[in-house]
Amino acid sequence: MVLYSVTRDDGGFLTVSGEVKNTAGKRYTVPTAWSGEESAIVRTGRSFAAMTLVDSKERKRYYVLRDTDNRPLTTTGFSPWIQPNESLPFFAQFPAPPQTTTKVDLQFPGFPNAPIEIS
């Protein structure tokens, strides 16, 4: 996983964007855990809804936002595989932490925690 940006939007949102690259010589099967386990989210199909941000200092966890139809505000509807040497671009929107919070940990199933700075 490569992160390209973590930015605050004017509306009080935090947008994370990047891509998951398959550097292996065989296709990668996208884990169902990436979509999360909530029944409302499972209906939307494949997504990055299981991504969370953790502010250890404030002891808060931020979840991917949902729209008024309870769909996650993240990349959805992608293939169940990432072919060799291809990548899957993604974005995910979260409620923005307070302005004083400049570092959070990104948590996503199958990947180690990644400390990130908010710009």
Side-chain angles (χ1 to χ4, degrees), residues 12-117:
F13 306 112
L14 184 77
T15 302
V16 175
S17 64
E19 67 182 345
V20 177
K21 293 182 178 184
N22 180 1
T23 58
K26 59 182 181 176
R27 78 178 182 184
Y28 176 76
T29 302
V30 173
T32 56
W34 286 10
S35 298
E37 297 178 2
E38 297 174 54
S39 58
I41 298 303
V42 171
R43 289 181 289 188
T44 65
R46 289 179 193 82
S47 73
F48 284 75
M51 188 175 287
T52 60
L53 300 176
V54 176
D55 179 352
S56 301
K57 188 176 177 184
E58 296 294 324
R59 295 183 164 187
K60 290 187 179 182
R61 180 180 302 271
Y62 297 91
Y63 295 91
V64 171
L65 290 167
R66 311 295 194 253
D67 68 11
T68 55
D69 292 324
N70 210 22
R71 293 179 301 231
L73 296 179
T74 185
T75 302
T76 61
F78 45 86
S79 168
W81 304 281
I82 304 173
Q83 297 299 332
N85 301 311
E86 291 190 357
S87 52
L88 172 61
F90 71 87
F91 80 95
Q93 280 195 318
F94 300 87
Q99 290 290 335
T100 55
T101 300
T102 58
K103 294 181 182 181
V104 293
D105 287 329
L106 177 89
Q107 295 182 336
F108 194 55
F111 292 89
N113 286 356
I116 55 177
E117 290 195 35

